[in-house]
Amino acid sequence: MNTAPPSHLFSPIQIRDITFRNRIGVSPMCMYSCSDGFANDWHMVHLGCRAVGGAGAVLTEAISVLPEGRISPDDLGIWKDDHVENLDRVFRFISEQGAVPGTQLAHAGRKASTGGLRGGGGPVDEAQGGWSPIFSASAVPFAEGDPIPVALDPAGIQRVVQAFADGARRTFDAGGQLVELHAAHGYLLNQFLSPLSNFRTDAYGGSFDNRTRLLREAVEAVRRVWPERYPLFVRISATDWVDGGWTLDDSVALAAQLMPLGVDLIDCSSGGGAPNVRIPVGPGYQTPFAERIRRETGILTAAVGAFTEPAQADQIIRNGQADIVLLGRESLRDPYWPIHAAKRLGHEAPIPAQYARAF
């Protein structure tokens, strides 16, 4: 009979050979603060501060595996070896604070070449730092009036697969211990998954197995270069929130495909694949996705989405709805949320010695 106490928000969790000090991760959040993809002092302070604040894992923003895969001209990049040195400095500091550093490898697809923080974030032309062409599963724009992307040909698809593998290798070279593939929010991998954006008639379109092929090939390519001892996550949009789009049933089936390929955890977000969609946003609104995928496949899951209260995050872990929680906006508002949460929940807080007198 198992009499072990239930896991809670401040229980360590081991995934492969990596032990996370608690179940709290900093979710990838775009900063749009780079030149030519290079990490800089902003990333050192932004990411480092959240490691000091007690998070168990700290992920970079979506980091572009190809220059044409950037969301904006100001995105963080990992498409060349020159990017490694600056990332190494950031990751070394995160590790020294007791957190696990990692990257979210991404390609924006048809959502590339936008303004980021420049004037509303819509598409930008070359005079504003943008570029063309942009690429997708099919030659269909994201929204009316957006640039029409070029449908990737077989050579282009293999270039993308190799770029994800190269991004994982560079993450390792920089001292990262965690990689997440971004297959959510209407970006390239998600564009292949969803029937709302994939109208191909070749081996990468049509059936469910065909639409999931690119992601599976990217996972396999990453796993060939990413150390066996290190975790691999995949972020998905568990539903498009649109009739005829990607569904939670699809997400369960996808997770079952990815687990034997070496994926350790599904990061369960949603939406982003179609414009003007009404989503019932509220604290924990995406947690049921993580719970069902975990229950029906046995894979680890992360819950994300508008968490603010420590008690709610703790109950998600205690109730077995997810294995970790990832905080985005709340970690921007309060970099020390894990310390405050531990004190409120009656656990030992991960307070750095330099800050102990303040807490």
Side-chain angles (χ1 to χ4, degrees):
M1 181 177 178
N2 184 5
T3 59
S7 298
H8 56 74
L9 193 61
F10 288 89
S11 304
I13 181 171
Q14 182 172 332
I15 306 177
R16 295 189 183 253
D17 289 354
I18 300 301
T19 299
F20 300 78
R21 62 182 168 186
N22 56 45
R23 308 300 183 96
I24 303 165
V26 175
S27 197
M29 292 173 286
C30 291
M31 294 288 107
Y32 305 117
S33 299
C34 294
S35 176
D36 194 28
F38 284 91
N40 54 45
D41 288 347
W42 176 267
H43 302 89
M44 171 63 80
V45 175
H46 164 64
L47 298 171
C49 185
R50 279 136 192 93
V52 170
V58 177
L59 285 160
T60 67
E61 63 201 85
I63 187 167
S64 301
V65 297
L66 287 169
E68 65 268 25
R70 291 171 293 167
I71 301 169
S72 84
D74 306 315
D75 278 23
L76 190 61
I78 200 165
W79 65 80
K80 55 186 176 182
D81 290 343
D82 291 348
H83 288 140
V84 168
E85 182 177 359
N86 288 18
L87 285 170
D88 176 82
R89 177 170 172 256
V90 176
F91 287 172
R92 188 166 59 250
F93 182 81
I94 292 170
S95 296
E96 288 169 354
Q97 311 317 306
V100 176
T103 58
Q104 186 192 59
L105 303 178
H107 189 302
R110 67 181 184 176
K111 283 183 152 185
S113 190
T114 66
L117 299 179
R118 310 177 190 200
V124 294
D125 59 24
E126 292 185 21
Q128 300 169 291
W131 58 90
S132 63
I134 56 175
F135 298 92
S136 186
S138 300
V140 179
F142 173 67
E144 185 176 352
D146 281 359
I148 298 174
V150 173
L152 281 166
D153 62 16
I157 287 173
Q158 291 313 305
R159 182 168 182 261
V160 167
V161 170
Q162 184 60 51
F164 275 95
D166 290 342
R169 174 181 57 79
R170 293 183 183 117
T171 298
F172 174 76
D173 291 344
Q177 297 177 305
L178 169 63
V179 157
E180 176 172 275
L181 272 59
H182 196 354
H185 301 165
Y187 297 122
L188 183 66
L189 296 178
N190 185 227
Q191 289 161 29
F192 273 79
L193 293 175
S194 175
L196 299 179
S197 47
N198 186 341
F199 301 95
R200 302 176 72 97
T201 57
D202 63 1
Y204 292 89
S207 69
F208 175 84
D209 282 348
N210 282 358
R211 285 183 285 112
T212 62
R213 189 181 307 278
L214 174 58
L215 176 55
R216 287 185 281 116
E217 289 182 353
V219 165
E220 290 173 321
V222 166
R223 259 294 165 217
R224 283 194 289 270
V225 300
W226 187 238
E228 183 70 21
R229 66 185 184 277
Y230 284 171
L232 174 60
F233 295 1
V234 172
R235 170 166 279 192
I236 65 169
S237 283
T239 175
D240 282 328
W241 298 103
V242 176
D243 289 343
W246 183 266
T247 68
L248 181 54
D249 287 342
D250 293 327
S251 294
V252 172
L254 176 64
Q257 285 186 334
L258 296 180
M259 191 173 180
L261 300 181
V263 173
D264 300 295
L265 179 144
I266 302 295
D267 175 358
C268 302
S269 190
S270 68
N276 306 316
V277 177
R278 297 178 67 88
I279 299 175
V281 176
Y285 73 105
Q286 296 175 136
T287 301
F289 307 147
E291 181 178 19
R292 183 177 163 197
I293 290 170
R294 185 180 190 268
R295 181 179 68 248
E296 295 190 15
T297 69
I299 199 168
L300 301 176
T301 61
V304 302
F307 300 118
T308 59
E309 291 300 317
Q312 182 187 28
D314 187 50
Q315 282 302 113
I316 288 168
I317 303 302
R318 289 182 182 272
N319 293 341
Q321 294 173 282
D323 299 279
I324 65 173
V325 296
L326 295 175
L327 273 69
R329 289 175 176 83
E330 187 64 11
S331 75
L332 295 182
R333 290 186 285 263
D334 181 4
Y336 308 105
W337 191 92
I339 295 175
H340 296 140
K343 293 178 72 67
R344 286 177 60 180
L345 294 171
H347 297 290
E348 183 177 348
I351 304 171
Q354 297 93 326
Y355 287 5
R357 61 185 177 275
F359 289 94

